[in-house]
Amino acid sequence: MKLTAQSRIVVFTGAGVSADSGISTFRDSDGLWCNHRIEEVCTAEAMVYNRKGVIDFYNERRRELLTKEPNPAHLAIAKLEQYFDQVQVITQNVDDLHERAGSTHITHLHGELRKLRSSRDESATVPIEGWRQDYDTRHPDGSLLRPFIVFFGEGVPMLEQAIRITEQADIFIVVGTSLKVYPAASLLQYVRPEAQVFLVDPGNPDLSASRNIVFIKKRAAIGVPELVDQLLDALKTTD
Ligand code: APR
């Protein structure tokens, strides 16, 4: 594999990249959607009919996040920026562990726990100090604030940007996603045929529809640092 410092690296992550930081995934046996009903905490309707329940759910996610740290997978992904000029992270995660690990070009497809937003304008965000959102705090535009999370059934405003980034990739690394949620999972279809795809996951993601993928059947905290070391070795042999 011919790699240079100008090779464009894109890393597409899901909940599995944060699992080794102690944050639950969604669909594993002890996942969040095994203990909470999506209809009650992650839809626009729930925001109307179960406002307190939704706010409590995301307050709990935020409170838990404050006790967690980036793991070796997040750190290895951030380390790529020391060797490659163009590293982009596209994440389905709403935690800030990629930021805290040091990655600097991050596209959040499903929102961010550490921000709230206007109920009127999906792009009008405000940062949240600490973990607690009060039930009736309002945005400066007068609307009630809500979590800055893309709920099921809502549009994914960052999708176009993510597609443009994906189409440029020379190396596309998928980490810790079941590839079950669209349109995020469709990103794989936008990877150029000549780009190399790697997938790090200890489980059995459905690769039937995919093209040549190097599948690394390991936990992210083990498999991602190993992959990054291989990429750096390939870079050295090319220089
Ligand atoms: N390291 C790497 N991958 C792991 C690990 C680990 N330690 N533990 C679990 N995984 C893998 C699982 O095998 C699975 O493939 O992480 C993936 C988790 O899948 P999901 O729980 O479905 O999470 P994700 O794919 O991110 O969900 C996508 O669904 O609920 C919505 O908006 C939510 O962004 C989320 C989206």
Side-chain angles (χ1 to χ4, degrees):
M1 177 176 32
K2 181 169 169 27
L3 274 184
T4 70
Q6 287 70 46
S7 298
R8 291 160 299 191
I9 317 281
V10 177
V11 187
F12 175 45
T13 64
V17 79
S18 297
D20 293 324
S21 294
I23 295 180
S24 299
T25 63
F26 292 94
R27 294 174 183 80
D28 287 323
S29 51
D30 57 347
L32 278 173
W33 299 146
C34 301
N35 304 311
H36 299 82
R37 287 173 48 77
I38 288 175
E39 300 74 26
E40 290 172 2
V41 295
C42 193
T43 64
E45 293 74 15
M47 199 69 245
V48 176
Y49 300 115
N50 183 30
R51 179 176 176 77
K52 287 192 175 188
V54 174
I55 290 173
D56 289 347
F57 177 75
Y58 285 98
N59 280 350
E60 184 48 36
R61 304 282 67 73
R62 224 171 274 117
R63 192 171 63 80
E64 178 194 46
L65 178 57
L66 292 179
T67 68
K68 305 301 182 192
E69 294 296 328
N71 67 60
H74 297 104
L75 296 170
I77 291 165
K79 180 179 163 187
L80 285 167
E81 295 189 22
Q82 298 168 28
Y83 299 89
F84 295 95
D85 299 341
Q86 302 176 72
V87 179
Q88 292 275 350
V89 175
I90 300 170
T91 187
Q92 299 171 87
N93 300 340
V94 294
D95 64 51
D96 62 348
L97 296 180
H98 282 304
E99 287 86 347
R100 285 160 58 191
S103 288
T104 58
H105 299 287
I106 303 165
T107 300
H108 282 273
L109 287 176
H110 295 157
E112 298 175 60
L113 266 181
R114 305 301 305 275
K115 294 176 182 172
L116 301 175
R117 78 156 171 87
S118 155
S119 302
R120 260 186 228 146
D121 174 356
E122 63 195 18
S123 64
T125 63
V126 295
I128 181 167
E129 291 308 314
W131 59 270
R132 184 199 296 274
Q133 174 191 354
D134 295 324
Y135 297 129
D136 50 11
T137 319
R138 289 185 179 269
H139 185 275
D141 70 9
S143 69
L144 281 170
L145 279 169
R146 56 165 271 185
F148 180 49
I149 301 292
V150 175
F151 292 142
F152 282 90
E154 294 188 319
V156 179
M158 302 308 288
L159 181 65
E160 278 312 305
Q161 174 173 308
I163 289 171
R164 282 197 306 277
I165 291 169
T166 300
E167 288 173 330
Q168 300 295 316
D170 297 311
I171 300 280
F172 193 79
I173 302 170
V174 183
V175 185
T177 175
S178 58
L179 295 169
K180 285 185 179 152
V181 175
Y182 285 79
S186 68
L187 282 181
L188 265 177
Q189 296 159 21
Y190 293 92
V191 179
R192 292 177 304 122
E194 56 274 23
Q196 178 58 60
V197 179
F198 297 91
L199 190 147
V200 183
D201 192 316
N204 302 298
D206 175 11
L207 304 178
S208 54
S210 307
R211 17 65 66 76
N212 68 314
I213 287 185
V214 172
F215 178 30
I216 301 165
K217 193 173 174 54
K218 294 185 178 179
R219 302 178 68 85
I222 306 295
V224 175
E226 288 176 353
L227 173 57
V228 168
D229 286 346
Q230 285 166 25
L231 294 177
L232 298 187
D233 288 346
L235 184 60
K236 286 189 194 104
T237 52
T238 311
D239 277 353

